[in-house]
Amino acid sequence: MNNNPLLHIFGEVLFDHFPDGSRVLGGAPFNVAWHLQAFGQSPRFISRTGDDPSGHEIATLMAAWDMSREAVQTDNEHPTGSVRVLIQDGEPHYEIVADCAYDFIDSKLLEEKQTQGILYHGSLAIRNPVSRTALKAAKARHQGKVFVDVNLRPPWWDRETLLPLLYDADWVKLNEAELIALCPDEHGLEAAMQAFCAQFDLEILVVTRGEQGAVAYDGQQHFVTVKPPASTAVVDTVGAGDAFAALLLLGLSKQWPLTVTLERAQAFACSLVGRRGATVADRAFYRAFSEQWGL
């Protein structure tokens, strides 16, 4: 029996298309759900795919990974999500196709029962009012914590839409550039984090900093910093933030100390960037961490 709080993951699932012609299953919320499933958490993934070959492939891959598909809707009008990934100076850049199935998550098809635990969502899937309405409905029925993973992908965001999501959040994760964009009047990382935490009345704020690691702030004047080893081998950084977010959710749900959670999130993300793409279909990859952490 799983005694962990339930994890509800809302948002996009898509295929990342790379310059070499390869494609990899992705979408930040899907990546998070995939990792959590591998760590034995059985998350409820709420999304929508097209009735097309890509959508059918996602269903097959989810089934093979033992992921629940009860909250994944099928869209007969809009295609499964897709993104073109461009690597410039070692950093991924994304061309995100508009009007995909995940933009049209239907609130009327969501379960109407009250939910507990943690509800995770990003900021991309709510670029469309239809999915935004579905998220609002899901949050109205949720009695637990809310974790917002900010992904500012121009032109798919605006302050008017994003700020209410942050006011609803208990925990937020974003990168340093996103923090600066949302908190431009503060000088210095720690001052900006404190101001951001106070503005949105957060319990925990986590700022990722790429090769410089990450910093967390718990709103009680406590900062925790982690950095990756200098020897970290990098194949690509696509999905590194999602791997980090998955471990934050795992740590929060299991009530690990914040320092332990950040250290494990950093270790997992460092391992993931040594592989191509945002997800890994090798259970042994996850088993090594599970055994190390006593899961």
Side-chain angles (χ1 to χ4, degrees), residues 75-98:
D75 193 311
N76 297 315
E77 298 181 14
H78 303 96
T80 298
S82 61
V83 171
R84 185 178 174 214
V85 182
L86 306 173
I87 309 297
Q88 299 174 353
D89 299 324
E91 290 294 320
H93 298 266
Y94 307 92
E95 292 183 4
I96 305 170
V97 177

Side-chain angles (χ1 to χ4, degrees), residues 110-178:
L110 298 178
E111 283 188 319
E112 295 189 0
K113 66 181 181 181
Q114 296 291 319
T115 58
Q116 306 285 338
I118 303 171
L119 172 62
Y120 164 101
H121 70 85
S123 53
L124 176 60
I126 49 81
R127 63 183 178 172
N128 186 294
V130 177
S131 283
R132 202 179 309 150
T133 298
L135 175 62
K136 186 175 181 180
K139 286 200 295 186
R141 300 183 188 115
H142 185 67
Q143 297 178 328
K145 302 292 186 179
V146 176
F147 185 118
V148 177
D149 192 350
V150 176
N151 285 292
L152 303 186
R153 303 288 188 223
W156 304 119
W157 75 279
D158 60 69
R159 287 179 178 272
E160 184 178 348
T161 302
L162 179 63
L163 293 186
L165 301 179
L166 298 176
Y167 281 112
D168 284 347
D170 298 289
W171 306 314
V172 169
K173 171 191 152 291
L174 76 176
N175 65 35
E176 190 169 9
E178 290 165 339

